[in-house]
Amino acid sequence: MAERRSLFRKDSEEKEYIERRLRKIGADKNFVLFVLAWYGVDPYTIVPVGKISETYKRRIKRRVQKGEKEEWPQVYGSIRRRWKEWNKIRLIRTLFKQEPLVPRLRGGQRDIASRKVCHILRIYFKKLTGRFQMELIAWVLGIESISLEQEFSRYRKDRLPSNITILSVDKTGHATLRDEPFSPKKEYEMLEKYYVANKEKIEKVLEKKTPVYCS
């Protein structure tokens, strides 16, 4: 299968065609690019959440030995198992956010991201035109229109991937996560408000391709 190219990576003729279609229905091209970048269709990277230093581990071990006396091996063993779980966590970084990448039941990262983008753009385009504009969404995502229709009719019945947020990390490296069901309507409303409030900054991030947390 040929590599799919989203609006971020289209050649000039394809870009011009898509931008013309977007202008025709009154859509904001930068909002569409923002949605693609927000969910990590393009561009994104996956990185480790960060290793726990050996110095910190030794400090915790001494503290446990001092506080737990004879039972320290069991207590410290439990802490080490938590550290191993922590080291398995990976972060996905897009231009606008970082979040834990957790195991998924089906689909790779780009497919999961495309599914979310499809839901958001359906709402956006229907708000503008009264129609979902699936063919245009297919152009934006770099997917054949028929394939996108088939994929969407199949996976819209599935439980959408959750939004995972790290709430806190305790001294042993145990992370408390919040798992919230993905709601297309709520997500769209949140993205629209964020875009309107930060339009100028978002346009600069899209232009320079510098992540917002690094600018």
Side-chain angles (χ1 to χ4, degrees), residues 9 41 52 61 65 67 78 83 89-90 101 114 124 133 159-160 203:
R9 294 186 288 172
V41 172
I52 299 169
K61 184 177 180 180
Q65 285 175 325
S78 175
W83 283 339
I89 298 176
R90 296 293 181 268
L101 181 67
S114 295
Y124 178 52
Q133 304 289 345
R159 180 177 180 269
L160 284 166
E203 289 174 352

Side-chain angles (χ1 to χ4, degrees), residues 49-202:
V49 73
K51 286 189 175 181
I52 299 169
S53 72
E54 293 301 318
T55 302
Y56 179 77
K57 288 179 181 178
R58 287 194 293 269
R59 189 190 316 145
I60 293 297
K61 184 177 180 180
R62 287 194 299 269
R63 192 177 299 169
V64 172
Q65 285 175 325
K66 184 178 179 180
E68 298 297 332
K69 306 297 180 185
E70 289 134 6
E71 295 181 3
W72 80 265
Q74 293 89 343
V75 175
Y76 186 64
S78 175
I79 293 172
R80 288 185 64 187
R81 285 192 291 274
R82 287 187 177 185
W83 283 339
K84 284 183 180 179
E85 291 301 313
W86 172 253
N87 288 333
K88 291 178 184 177
I89 298 176
R90 296 293 181 268
L91 289 177
I92 175 168
R93 290 178 175 173
T94 72
L95 288 178
F96 296 97
K97 63 177 180 174
Q98 302 181 85
E99 64 182 7
L101 181 67
V102 295
R104 305 297 189 186
L105 292 177
R106 64 168 69 185
Q109 169 53 34
R110 196 162 191 276
D111 288 330
I112 297 297
S114 295
R115 288 166 60 174
K116 291 186 174 183
V117 167
C118 184
H119 277 276
I120 299 303
L121 292 185
R122 276 167 57 93
I123 296 172
Y124 178 52
F125 291 153
K126 186 170 185 184
K127 183 179 177 181
L128 293 174
T129 68
R131 296 177 56 206
F132 292 128
Q133 304 289 345
M134 291 294 282
E135 183 192 0
L136 180 54
I137 295 173
W139 272 98
V140 168
L141 289 171
I143 304 173
E144 290 184 10
S145 181
I146 295 175
S147 298
L148 183 62
E149 291 278 5
Q150 290 173 343
E151 283 184 35
F152 191 80
S153 64
R154 185 180 73 248
Y155 66 56
R156 67 180 170 181
K157 298 175 184 176
D158 297 343
R159 180 177 180 269
L160 284 166
S162 301
N163 292 326
I164 308 297
T165 306
I166 294 181
L167 294 179
S168 63
V169 181
D170 65 22
K171 291 182 179 179
T172 66
H174 178 66
T176 302
L177 304 179
R178 179 175 62 198
D179 183 343
E180 296 178 324
F182 178 83
S183 167
K185 185 178 179 182
K186 288 182 180 178
E187 199 86 355
Y188 171 76
E189 290 171 354
M190 179 273 294
L191 290 174
E192 185 179 45
K193 288 178 182 177
Y194 183 87
Y195 180 76
V196 170
N198 300 278
K199 194 171 188 296
E200 188 175 334
K201 186 174 184 179
I202 288 170

Side-chain angles (χ1 to χ4, degrees), residues 9-64:
R9 294 186 288 172
K10 295 284 189 185
D11 61 35
S12 58
E13 288 186 7
E14 287 178 307
K15 263 190 177 179
E16 287 175 10
Y17 172 74
I18 295 170
E19 288 171 6
R20 193 162 60 247
R21 291 278 304 269
L22 292 172
R23 285 195 300 271
K24 189 174 180 180
I25 65 172
D28 183 342
K29 179 194 76 172
N30 282 332
F31 179 75
V32 175
L33 286 171
F34 165 62
V35 172
L36 287 171
W38 181 269
Y39 290 113
V41 172
D42 277 315
Y44 74 89
T45 56
I46 295 174
V47 297
V49 73
K51 286 189 175 181
I52 299 169
S53 72
E54 293 301 318
T55 302
Y56 179 77
K57 288 179 181 178
R58 287 194 293 269
R59 189 190 316 145
I60 293 297
K61 184 177 180 180
R62 287 194 299 269
R63 192 177 299 169
V64 172

